[in-house]
Amino acid sequence: MDNILIFFVKQKKLALVLTISIIVLGLFTLNSIQRDKFPAVDFEVMTIVTAYPGASPEDVEQNVTNLIEDELRSISGIDKFSSTSKEGKSSIVIILSQDVDDIEPLKQEIRNVVNRIKSLPEEVNGFPWIVDQKNSLKSILKINISSDNLSYQVLRDIIDDMSESLSLVKGVSKVIKEGYLDREFQIRVNPDSLYQHKLSLPQVIKAIKNRNKRYTVGNNNDINEKTIVVLAKFDEIEAVSNVIIKSTFDGPVIRLKDIAKITSENKKETSIIRVNGTKGFILSIHKQEHADVITTVDLVKDKVLELEAKYPTSLKFFYSSDESNHVRNRLNIVTNNGLIGLLLVLIILALFLSFKTAFWVSIGLPVSLLGTVSLLGVTGETINLVSLAAMILILGIVVDDSIVVAESIHHYKQLGKDRYQSTILGFKRVIAPVITTILTTILAFSSMFFMSGTMGKFIYVIPLVVIFSLTLSFLEVSLALPAHLASSDEKTKEKIWFMRIEVWFEGFLTEVLKWRYSVVFIFSIVLIGSLYFAKTQMKYVQFPIVGADSIDARLNMPIGTSLERTESISKQVEKIIIEVVGEDLDSLTNNIGHYFTNVAKFSIELVPSSIRVETSKSLLAKLKKRVKDIKFAQELKFSISRPGPSQGEDVEINLIGSDNIQRQNAADTLEKILLGIDGIDNIERDDESGKARIEVVIDFEKMSRFDVDFSVVDDYLKAVFTGTNVTSVRYGDNNVYFRIYLGSDKQSKNFLTLLKINNRQGRPIPLKQFVSLKKIKGEPNFNHFNGQRSVMFSGSVDDEVTTSGEVISQALKQLDLVSKYPAIQMTSEGGNKDTKKTMDSFKKAFIMAIFSIFLLLILLFNSYSQPILVLIAVPFSIIGVIWAFFLHGETLSFFAILGTLALVGVIVNDSLIMVTHLNYLKVKLASTMSVYKWVAQGAKDRLRAVVLTTLTTLAGVIPLAYGIGGTDFILQPMALSLGYGLLFGTLMTLVLLPCLYLINHELINWLKKTFG
């Protein structure tokens, strides 16, 4: 074995090539690896959207949503589905089961089932639109285009041209046009002309449909065979005007232009999108799944610059919702803080060890991290928030392994041994515990592989990074580092200043060991008190609002407010937002009428937190104070969008049941309860009434006596109110529809009472003879959960006052569904449910990981009690995390837990090596030295390595914790918990652990004496 070690120790050229190769390969990969905001995740969620123009919410529910949901019930593998039936549109969200091994066949089965539904109403536009939800396919950039003097038609042609050009850019999957009104030919039939020429509306519709055709009838069967094609398609608006509606031998020819006015118009504007206070066109750029977000955005901007030169100079361009900015910013922050940390690590190591030793130990960091980047590229992973977080987490453990090996070699060099002999002895002395520490850390982090829910999908890359980094770290410390250190023939001098500290520490610990039971008692009291304080005084929030990059707002006008009026008031809100947010504003998107014409929703994107003047929380407070300035608004709410993966609202409570009365009563009660709970804001329910409507009540008995066909009545009514698509022609890449209307675009209130409908004999019958009109309250959107009607409540939580779990628990206790509303069921959705699901699965996996570590330590120590000594370090290390977060005014969060997990890895490593060394001294010195002295000496021997691990880890994470190289509020809690937890963990390793070891030693000896 020694001969093999000597061989590798002497291969300094191989070690140098290995080190340089990994670094160079990592740098090359760094330039080509995909960069993104988050890992590419398939949420296993599908949405089905069906357009049913002009239909009321209940009509959409009955004629579209119910049909699709009935088919979905027959598919196994669906966890749950929910739907919203709103005016003109059905939306169904399907959550697939986590237990399905192969998800793609299930997705295809859903597509097949939906596409084979044949009983949807004729008015439904095309097939239902089925979308697979993947975060990697989201919009990465929005291009906003407007002009003060170009016509809408010219602008639309430019948008079409730009969309086509940008869709060909490398990395772009699709370009979606927003704020874009499709062109349509409007045929406005004059009712009086119909009556005059004794025509009916169905006749007109049939004539237009029959005229607009192109088809092949066959071949001419000649020697020179040719295909015979009948061309009757409309090629220009005049062709439509000349369609013959009625013709007889002895009467006049009635053409469409004789009874109708045909114009080329835009489709009716049903919603408005404004960006940064400007109304115009928006091109939303979506990247391909494996495209780099920064490269793709840069290529798109270069293409826009190229296209801009050929368009009119009056055209205005600006960008918004640029995802590459956040990715660039985070990469810069981590890189800057990493370089600062690496420099500090080098300085600290040089103070304790020789400069050459410090240099080669420091090189282990870029080797492990850049090597990990290479492996991430090979496995198809990306550089993103989560993988960067994992690299920061692993810093301390990677440095710890290198320090342990280097310090052991350094120790033998100080004893005056040959450099090769020192290297081999030092390496052999610690390699077993180093391997064990690597395996224990991998086991601890591997518990994340088993986390469920949305969060589990996002963080699976963390254990992957840990495994890659520690594997490379092991190769570095076992193959390269010994050879690097052995190649140095420098004379190692003891650091006099540190020798004095070691002598003092040995004497101090010798005295402390005499009070070991009191020390353990004090530490235990501190632990119990800290845990109690954390449970009662501190709150856990998955993703705190600190560092959030966006704020949402919702403007509610009185029901029935027109789209134009809502837009007018929303402009006032825009001015307030721009004024308050100021230079912290990146972009402001105002979406008016997407849900109801009286509702406007705002998305306020902020500049990255590292360059922001004010926090998102202070901006939110200022915006809320300005709500009173909007005089005519019924309601204006602002809320912060939490950073991290999308998990819904903070609080989502869904009341489900077919009993409409009980469900409505329960919803009204729940709303009052939520309004009375402190700390919850922006409470919304999804069953609010829409605009008032006019119901056409048909007397079917009278209609039958007049011999009027109901389908004809349907045609007339649709043509009066919303128009009916008759046929279409192809212009470029778009279908342009011919839409027929009856009457002018500004009908008087009594128009319906004057309308006449032809019966089966062709005689005009006044509609008022068998129809009456009734004004009724507007319908709400109809929502379903697993096919049953439901009401969803949502709200945002103030983290300083309460948590999502507390709000839901308090609300449901007061509601008391079981006794008061037995027909109603409840589900808790949103961030709270996903948090609980994720953490429950993590706890189970972590317990299994701890048990596996326990078995591994039994194998190393051949003892039952000593593994417990090592693992008992885990709860004590949390004391520093609790008080660090309290004193810094931070909220315990998911990233704080990640930092604590990394902290546990470092503490376990230090404890494991401490116990190993004490065992070594016990065998060597127990017979010649008192137990107090050899335990104190053992702790003194490990003092330099422990202090070095603490200081170098702190040097690596403190720049990020305090934003020295740029602030990242998401990664900051992780660095804070790792840094300050390690400070207290060092005290625990150097003081508490020797006390526990001595107590354990005495206990074992007592048991041997007592029981033989």
Side-chain angles (χ1 to χ4, degrees), residues 299-357:
L299 289 173
V300 168
K301 289 182 177 179
D302 289 342
K303 187 64 178 179
V304 170
L305 200 61
E306 177 188 325
L307 292 171
E308 197 174 349
K310 73 174 188 176
Y311 297 138
T313 55
S314 61
L315 208 60
K316 298 176 184 177
F317 293 90
F318 66 88
Y319 301 103
S320 62
S321 303
D322 187 345
E323 290 291 331
S324 69
N325 285 340
H326 296 284
V327 178
R328 281 183 226 267
N329 181 66
R330 182 157 282 125
L331 284 172
N332 289 337
I333 289 172
V334 173
T335 303
N336 293 340
N337 286 307
L339 292 174
I340 294 171
L342 186 60
L343 179 62
L344 292 174
V345 167
L346 186 59
I347 293 171
I348 291 169
L349 287 171
L351 289 173
F352 286 82
L353 308 170
S354 66
F355 179 78
K356 288 185 178 178
T357 302

Side-chain angles (χ1 to χ4, degrees), residues 713-754:
V713 176
D714 185 48
D715 286 340
Y716 272 85
L717 292 176
K718 285 178 179 175
V720 169
F721 289 109
T722 60
T724 302
N725 286 337
V726 180
T727 186
S728 66
V729 292
R730 191 78 174 171
Y731 276 85
D733 295 330
N734 302 316
N735 281 325
V736 179
Y737 286 91
F738 289 85
R739 194 167 185 84
I740 194 165
Y741 296 87
L742 188 59
S744 67
D745 56 348
K746 295 180 181 179
Q747 309 281 18
S748 63
K749 293 182 179 180
N750 61 349
F751 177 78
L752 275 181
T753 61
L754 301 175

Side-chain angles (χ1 to χ4, degrees), residues 486-533:
S487 66
S488 171
D489 201 19
E490 62 177 343
K491 299 298 179 182
T492 304
K493 297 179 181 179
E494 185 65 72
K495 305 287 184 179
I496 303 299
W497 66 272
F498 193 70
M499 286 181 62
R500 293 171 182 167
I501 294 175
E502 286 180 325
V503 171
W504 172 85
F505 175 73
E506 186 175 12
F508 166 76
L509 188 60
T510 303
E511 293 299 318
V512 167
L513 290 173
K514 296 175 182 178
W515 298 89
R516 54 194 175 279
Y517 292 100
S518 299
V519 170
V520 172
F521 177 76
I522 291 170
F523 269 89
S524 300
I525 291 297
V526 172
L527 174 61
I528 294 169
S530 298
L531 292 175
Y532 178 78
F533 179 82

Side-chain angles (χ1 to χ4, degrees), residues 274-301:
R274 296 170 54 84
V275 178
N276 292 355
T278 303
K279 181 179 178 181
F281 291 94
I282 300 171
L283 293 179
S284 181
I285 310 297
H286 294 247
K287 75 175 186 67
Q288 294 170 357
E289 186 169 357
H290 299 294
D292 180 85
V293 64
I294 294 176
T295 303
T296 305
V297 167
D298 288 344
L299 289 173
V300 168
K301 289 182 177 179

Side-chain angles (χ1 to χ4, degrees), residues 500-741:
R500 293 171 182 167
I501 294 175
E502 286 180 325
V503 171
W504 172 85
F505 175 73
E506 186 175 12
F508 166 76
L509 188 60
T510 303
E511 293 299 318
V512 167
L513 290 173
K514 296 175 182 178
W515 298 89
R516 54 194 175 279
Y517 292 100
S518 299
V519 170
V520 172
F521 177 76
I522 291 170
F523 269 89
S524 300
I525 291 297
V526 172
L527 174 61
I528 294 169
S530 298
L531 292 175
Y532 178 78
F533 179 82
K535 183 174 179 60
T536 57
Q537 302 298 320
M538 301 179 72
K539 293 179 173 61
Y540 173 80
V541 179
Q542 189 94 316
F543 292 104
I545 61 174
V546 178
D549 293 323
S550 62
I551 299 174
D552 295 330
R554 175 177 172 129
L555 168 68
N556 287 341
M557 297 293 290
I559 293 173
T561 302
S562 68
L563 189 67
E564 293 75 17
R565 176 61 175 165
T566 304
E567 181 188 17
S568 174
I569 300 301
S570 72
K571 289 178 182 179
Q572 299 176 27
V573 180
E574 288 176 355
K575 289 179 181 178
I576 289 175
I577 292 171
I578 293 170
E579 178 187 333
V580 170
V581 181
E583 57 189 288
D584 287 334
L585 181 65
D586 181 42
S587 67
L588 168 62
T589 303
N590 178 8
N591 196 328
I592 309 150
H594 182 70
Y595 298 93
F596 296 105
T597 58
N598 64 308
V599 176
K601 286 201 169 186
F602 303 83
S603 177
I604 307 164
E605 298 290 333
L606 306 175
V607 297
S609 55
S610 59
I611 58 174
R612 203 178 298 160
V613 177
E614 293 192 64
T615 64
S616 54
K617 190 172 181 180
S618 65
L619 290 173
L620 178 68
K622 287 184 177 181
L623 288 169
K624 286 185 174 182
K625 287 181 180 178
R626 298 291 300 274
V627 168
K628 62 181 182 298
D629 295 347
I630 307 299
K631 302 298 182 184
F632 299 100
Q634 186 177 45
E635 194 174 43
L636 176 59
K637 298 177 179 179
F638 291 93
S639 62
I640 290 181
S641 297
R642 294 185 183 275
S646 176
Q647 300 181 74
E649 297 294 337
D650 296 344
V651 172
E652 289 184 359
I653 301 175
N654 207 1
L655 301 178
I656 309 154
S658 300
D659 189 323
N660 293 336
I661 296 175
Q662 277 201 29
R663 188 183 64 252
Q664 186 65 40
N665 291 339
D668 293 340
T669 304
L670 180 59
E671 183 175 21
K672 293 176 183 176
I673 292 171
L674 290 174
L675 288 170
I677 297 177
D678 291 335
I680 183 169
D681 195 11
N682 299 330
I683 299 166
E684 293 184 11
R685 54 189 291 179
D686 60 7
D687 65 340
E688 295 175 347
S689 297
K691 61 186 177 184
R693 58 180 181 144
I694 297 174
E695 185 171 319
V696 179
V697 182
I698 299 175
D699 187 327
F700 284 94
E701 184 177 342
K702 288 184 178 180
M703 186 177 73
S704 177
R705 289 177 180 174
F706 287 118
D707 202 17
V708 175
D709 191 335
F710 178 62
S711 64
V712 175
V713 176
D714 185 48
D715 286 340
Y716 272 85
L717 292 176
K718 285 178 179 175
V720 169
F721 289 109
T722 60
T724 302
N725 286 337
V726 180
T727 186
S728 66
V729 292
R730 191 78 174 171
Y731 276 85
D733 295 330
N734 302 316
N735 281 325
V736 179
Y737 286 91
F738 289 85
R739 194 167 185 84
I740 194 165
Y741 296 87

Side-chain angles (χ1 to χ4, degrees), residues 215-437:
Y215 54 93
T216 302
V217 296
N219 300 319
N220 61 353
N221 298 321
D222 201 350
I223 296 173
N224 299 316
E225 191 173 277
K226 297 179 179 64
T227 301
I228 301 173
V229 179
V230 176
L231 297 177
K233 293 286 288 183
F234 299 139
D235 55 356
E236 56 187 15
I237 199 165
E238 285 76 12
V240 188
S241 302
N242 290 318
V243 169
I244 298 173
I245 307 299
K246 182 179 179 182
S247 175
T248 59
F249 284 107
D250 55 352
V253 175
I254 309 301
R255 301 181 185 275
L256 183 60
K257 63 184 178 183
D258 298 326
I259 61 170
K261 180 181 179 182
I262 303 102
T263 56
S264 177
E265 303 286 347
N266 300 321
K267 283 189 175 180
K268 183 181 179 182
E269 191 172 45
T270 56
S271 64
I272 298 170
I273 296 180
R274 296 170 54 84
V275 178
N276 292 355
T278 303
K279 181 179 178 181
F281 291 94
I282 300 171
L283 293 179
S284 181
I285 310 297
H286 294 247
K287 75 175 186 67
Q288 294 170 357
E289 186 169 357
H290 299 294
D292 180 85
V293 64
I294 294 176
T295 303
T296 305
V297 167
D298 288 344
L299 289 173
V300 168
K301 289 182 177 179
D302 289 342
K303 187 64 178 179
V304 170
L305 200 61
E306 177 188 325
L307 292 171
E308 197 174 349
K310 73 174 188 176
Y311 297 138
T313 55
S314 61
L315 208 60
K316 298 176 184 177
F317 293 90
F318 66 88
Y319 301 103
S320 62
S321 303
D322 187 345
E323 290 291 331
S324 69
N325 285 340
H326 296 284
V327 178
R328 281 183 226 267
N329 181 66
R330 182 157 282 125
L331 284 172
N332 289 337
I333 289 172
V334 173
T335 303
N336 293 340
N337 286 307
L339 292 174
I340 294 171
L342 186 60
L343 179 62
L344 292 174
V345 167
L346 186 59
I347 293 171
I348 291 169
L349 287 171
L351 289 173
F352 286 82
L353 308 170
S354 66
F355 179 78
K356 288 185 178 178
T357 302
F359 174 77
W360 288 118
V361 170
S362 300
I363 285 296
L365 276 174
V367 167
S368 295
L369 297 183
L370 289 173
T372 298
V373 170
S374 298
L375 292 174
L376 286 175
V378 169
T379 55
E381 299 297 334
T382 66
I383 295 294
N384 53 67
L385 167 65
V386 181
S387 55
L388 286 174
M391 290 181 193
I392 294 167
L393 288 173
I394 209 67
L395 281 177
I397 302 168
V398 169
V399 171
D400 192 22
D401 292 338
S402 299
I403 287 174
V404 167
V405 173
E407 195 273 338
S408 181
I409 293 172
H410 184 82
H411 172 73
Y412 280 99
K413 280 185 178 182
Q414 285 181 331
L415 297 178
K417 296 185 181 295
D418 172 74
R419 56 178 173 162
Y420 293 117
Q421 189 180 12
S422 297
T423 303
I424 292 169
L425 289 173
F427 179 76
K428 287 172 63 178
R429 179 75 187 78
V430 296
I431 191 60
V434 164
I435 292 174
T436 307
T437 60

Side-chain angles (χ1 to χ4, degrees), residues 750-766:
N750 61 349
F751 177 78
L752 275 181
T753 61
L754 301 175
L755 187 64
K756 297 176 183 178
I757 296 178
N758 286 29
N759 66 4
R760 292 184 177 90
Q761 284 74 42
R763 187 164 63 89
I765 306 296

